Amino acid sequence: MNDPYGGTNLFSHPEEPDDEIEEELEETPSVYTVSELTAAISGVLEMNFDSIWLEGEISGHKVAQSKHAYFTLKDDRCQIRCVMFRGSRSGLKFEPEDGDQILLSGRVAVYQARGEYQIIVDSMEPRGLGALQKAFDQLKKKLEEEGLFAAQHKKPLPQFPWKVGVITSPTGAVIRDILNVIKRRNPKVSVLLNPVKVQGEGSAIEIAKAIKEMNLRQDLDLLIVGRGGGSIEDLWAFNEEVVARAIFQSRIPVISAVGHEVDVTIADFVADLRAPTPSAAAEIAVPVLDEMLDLLRGLTENMIGQIEWQFQDRRERLLSLIDRRFFREPARILENPAQRLDDMSARLTRSLETWSLVQREGLNSRVKRLLSASPERKLIQQRARLENQEQLLGHLMMSRVRLERNRLDLSRLPRSLDSWSRVQRETLRSLVKRLLSASPERKLAQARSRFDSQNHLLAHLMTGGLKTERNRFDAIARQLDSLSPLQVLGRGYSLTSKRETGKVVFRKDQVKPGDRLRIRLSDGELDATVEDG
């Protein structure tokens, strides 16, 4: 019996085989090719295992460039190859990993190129932990590592919002609860609803788009994103990555209000504030107007009281200051400064006198030192010393003469005396000559002579330089004088201009009869009137 795929049905067992066929088989056994046998087995497996559920552990999981996933499913004794094509993988809520215990659905097929059978996987979910929960944990870990939950990214909520944006279903009870709470707490606050689908396919995209649209407005102070309670599947839109990233990128502060207090979503972690319920979100967002007004009244009264107290205190202090002697007798203000001024003036006078005395004594000392170092004084002293030495020498000579006269014979005395006197006279003449050559008057005269000579030479040079510069000046003056317009006028030319405008007349057609002209000559000006143009 042949199967629908063209091969032989290996599982058919006819109870009463045809004797003719048995005989024929015994005579001519069937011979299959590898392809025929593989096709026959493939048909049998695909027909009998078209839809199965299989449980096991993932091993060797890898994703090819084509996005198809290949892995082995095994238990403690056997293993089987599996493939999950890209179309089926797009519906997964989590990313399978090696070691995951999963429950998959699919069908058995044969990869005829290698003659291996495998499972074509249509769907899978983790065993023990739901697929959504695993996807939730994986996305939470990923966004937390990126810093989307960090406290430094949380924006502060406005203390007094005047316009609140709400992103939720327009038909649910959530929007009614939020409107009632806000109206009850502060009827002055406006609410702008951006209606979206909060569950089902495409709901996450709508919520993310609504958040971005609200951020394009400039009049919103706060956003409330939420919905009512439900299962994890119902709330799954708020666990999608696109919603989380839209909330994180929102310029406007966001309050997440999803489900009940026990429901936790990824949006709650990313939002700037999580409210346990939508009604609680409205209460957190909008303060009670009456309470705020009472608070303002109390603060105003307190501030007025503080101002009145401070005013009274300042007035009392002012009156106290006015009553002081300082203001009643202002002339006393100058008493101490005047006394101090007198004291400082006296100290200054004494200091100036002392300084003047010290300077005068210093000046006298310098005058004395100058006088003592004067060349005239030294000359007088040298002259006096020379005269004393001459007198002393005369006395010594006379004493020596008397002694020699007494000691020598009178006959030899005149000759010896003449000889001794001649030697002494030559010695005295030499000393006088040396004294005269070293005389300060002589040196002073020589210095004065050199000064007069240098002065005369300098005067001669200055006279020559002045004469040269005067000649150059006269030459330049003559050049300038030759270029002067007055020299041109001196050769008989004149300069004519209109008297009213001062414009120079170059041509005849510039004037007309009656025009008044001014003619400039070398020695003055003439006024003229044009009679015939």
Side-chain angles (χ1 to χ4, degrees):
M1 182 176 180
N2 296 329
D3 65 0
Y5 298 93
T8 302
N9 189 348
L10 299 180
F11 292 88
S12 63
H13 300 285
E15 297 178 354
E16 296 178 356
D18 191 345
D19 295 338
E20 295 180 357
I21 294 175
E22 288 182 351
E23 293 176 355
E24 185 177 357
L25 289 174
E26 291 176 355
E27 294 175 355
T28 57
S30 298
V31 178
Y32 296 93
T33 65
V34 176
S35 299
E36 290 173 346
L37 180 60
T38 302
I41 294 173
S42 175
V44 171
L45 292 178
E46 290 178 357
M47 183 178 65
N48 289 278
F49 300 98
D50 183 60
S51 177
I52 63 171
W53 288 89
L54 192 63
E55 181 180 358
E57 178 184 340
I58 292 178
S59 176
H61 182 273
K62 62 181 180 181
V63 179
Q65 293 183 351
S66 60
K67 304 300 181 184
H68 306 323
Y70 300 91
F71 58 94
T72 299
L73 195 68
K74 65 181 183 180
D75 57 15
D76 55 348
R77 290 183 298 175
C78 300
Q79 62 182 14
I80 185 172
R81 293 183 181 276
C82 301
V83 56
M84 191 171 192
F85 293 112
R86 180 173 60 182
S88 301
R89 287 188 66 242
S90 62
L92 284 179
K93 299 296 185 183
F94 71 103
E95 185 63 29
E97 298 174 347
D98 288 350
D100 286 352
Q101 288 288 336
I102 62 169
L103 177 64
L104 60 81
S105 66
R107 56 189 171 87
V108 178
V110 174
Y111 184 50
Q112 297 183 5
R114 287 201 297 263
E116 296 177 350
Y117 82 94
Q118 60 185 6
I119 305 297
I120 307 298
V121 181
D122 295 326
S123 65
M124 70 169 69
E125 64 179 36
R127 294 293 291 175
L129 186 65
L132 295 179
Q133 185 61 42
K134 184 174 180 62
F136 177 89
D137 294 338
Q138 289 180 341
L139 180 60
K140 179 184 175 186
K141 181 179 179 182
K142 174 184 175 183
L143 298 182
E144 187 173 13
E145 291 176 350
E146 292 183 13
L148 269 67
F149 305 161
Q152 62 265 26
H153 297 310
K154 305 296 183 185
K155 295 178 283 295
L157 302 182
Q159 190 173 4
F160 302 106
W162 289 107
K163 193 165 188 177
V164 178
V166 179
I167 300 174
T168 188
S169 172
T171 58
V174 171
I175 184 61
R176 292 195 299 273
D177 294 342
I178 291 176
L179 291 175
N180 291 333
V181 171
I182 291 178
K183 184 178 181 180
R184 173 171 49 82
R185 295 177 69 84
N186 187 353
K188 304 293 184 182
V189 175
S190 302
V191 177
L192 178 64
L193 172 65
N194 193 330
V196 295
K197 187 168 61 175
V198 293
Q199 71 180 64
E201 185 176 359
S203 56
I205 299 296
E206 286 191 19
I207 295 171
K209 183 180 177 183
I211 294 173
K212 294 178 181 178
E213 289 175 351
M214 289 295 208
N215 273 273
L216 297 177
R217 301 181 64 92
Q218 301 298 324
D219 56 345
L220 292 177
D221 301 316
L222 184 66
L223 287 181
I224 298 176
V225 181
R227 57 150 291 159
S231 64
I232 187 171
E233 290 80 3
D234 296 337
L235 305 179
W236 190 252
F238 295 90
N239 290 322
E240 294 285 356
E241 183 175 355
V242 64
V243 175
R245 295 196 180 280
I247 293 175
F248 181 76
Q249 295 169 358
S250 174
R251 173 183 54 82
I252 305 172
V254 177
I255 298 178
S256 67
V258 182
H260 302 296
E261 187 169 2
V262 295
D263 298 323
V264 179
T265 64
I266 296 295
D268 295 334
F269 294 107
V270 185
D272 299 298
L273 184 68
R274 174 185 179 263
T277 63
S279 299
E283 293 181 353
I284 294 172
V286 180
V288 179
L289 180 60
D290 294 337
E291 293 179 357
M292 292 297 104
L293 292 177
D294 293 340
L295 178 62
L296 287 175
R297 291 191 193 95
L299 292 174
T300 302
E301 293 175 357
N302 186 22
M303 184 173 62
I304 292 174
Q306 290 289 334
I307 292 174
E308 290 179 350
W309 178 83
Q310 291 185 5
F311 178 76
Q312 182 65 24
D313 180 67
R314 298 291 191 278
R315 185 171 61 182
E316 292 176 355
R317 292 176 63 183
L318 179 61
L319 293 176
S320 176
L321 290 172
I322 292 174
D323 191 50
R324 289 187 177 182
R325 187 187 300 274
F326 181 81
F327 291 102
R328 287 187 285 104
E329 299 176 4
R332 291 182 177 272
I333 299 173
L334 302 176
E335 290 179 350
N336 287 333
Q339 185 177 358
R340 187 177 179 185
L341 178 61
D342 293 340
D343 182 54
M344 293 182 69
S345 298
R347 291 171 59 185
L348 179 61
T349 303
R350 289 195 298 273
S351 298
L352 288 174
E353 291 175 355
T354 303
W355 179 82
S356 176
L357 181 59
V358 171
Q359 295 299 323
R360 191 180 298 112
E361 291 179 353
L363 182 60
N364 293 333
S365 176
R366 291 189 186 91
V367 170
K368 288 179 180 178
R369 288 201 297 271
L370 288 174
L371 291 175
S372 63
S374 170
E376 294 180 352
R377 183 181 182 85
K378 287 185 177 181
L379 181 62
I380 295 171
Q381 290 175 351
Q382 291 293 337
R383 184 175 296 161
R385 190 178 297 112
L386 180 60
E387 292 175 354
N388 292 333
Q389 288 180 355
E390 287 179 350
Q391 291 177 0
L392 179 60
L393 183 60
H395 290 301
L396 290 175
M397 289 176 63
M398 293 305 294
S399 297
R400 186 65 177 269
V401 169
R402 283 195 295 272
L403 288 176
E404 290 296 331
R405 183 179 297 167
N406 295 330
R407 190 171 59 87
L408 297 178
D409 187 22
L410 293 175
S411 59
R412 298 172 55 186
L413 180 60
R415 190 173 51 217
S416 299
L417 183 61
D418 293 339
S419 176
W420 180 83
S421 177
R422 191 167 48 253
V423 172
Q424 295 299 324
R425 194 179 298 110
E426 291 296 330
T427 303
L428 180 60
R429 189 177 294 111
S430 177
L431 290 173
V432 170
K433 188 176 181 180
R434 290 171 59 187
L435 286 172
L436 290 175
S437 62
S439 171
E441 289 181 345
R442 183 183 180 88
K443 291 185 177 180
L444 182 62
Q446 292 175 351
R448 186 176 292 114
S449 176
R450 287 197 299 273
F451 174 76
D452 294 340
S453 178
Q454 295 293 332
N455 191 21
H456 179 71
L457 178 60
L458 180 61
H460 177 71
L461 293 175
M462 290 180 63
T463 304
L466 288 173
K467 186 177 181 180
T468 302
E469 294 299 327
R470 187 178 294 108
N471 292 334
R472 289 179 57 192
F473 176 77
D474 294 340
I476 293 172
R478 284 194 296 273
Q479 291 179 0
L480 291 174
D481 187 60
S482 63
L483 299 175
S484 172
L486 296 176
Q487 290 295 330
V488 179
L489 297 178
R491 291 196 294 269
Y493 294 95
S494 62
L495 182 65
T496 305
S497 61
K498 291 185 177 180
R499 185 175 181 181
E500 289 77 9
T501 61
K503 292 184 178 180
V504 178
V505 178
F506 297 98
R507 299 185 307 276
K508 179 180 178 182
D509 55 359
Q510 287 183 268
V511 298
K512 60 183 182 296
D515 285 349
R516 301 176 67 186
L517 303 178
R518 173 159 292 173
I519 302 172
R520 174 71 182 269
L521 303 175
S522 62
D523 56 349
E525 294 179 346
L526 293 175
D527 291 335
T529 303
V530 179
E531 296 180 351
D532 186 11

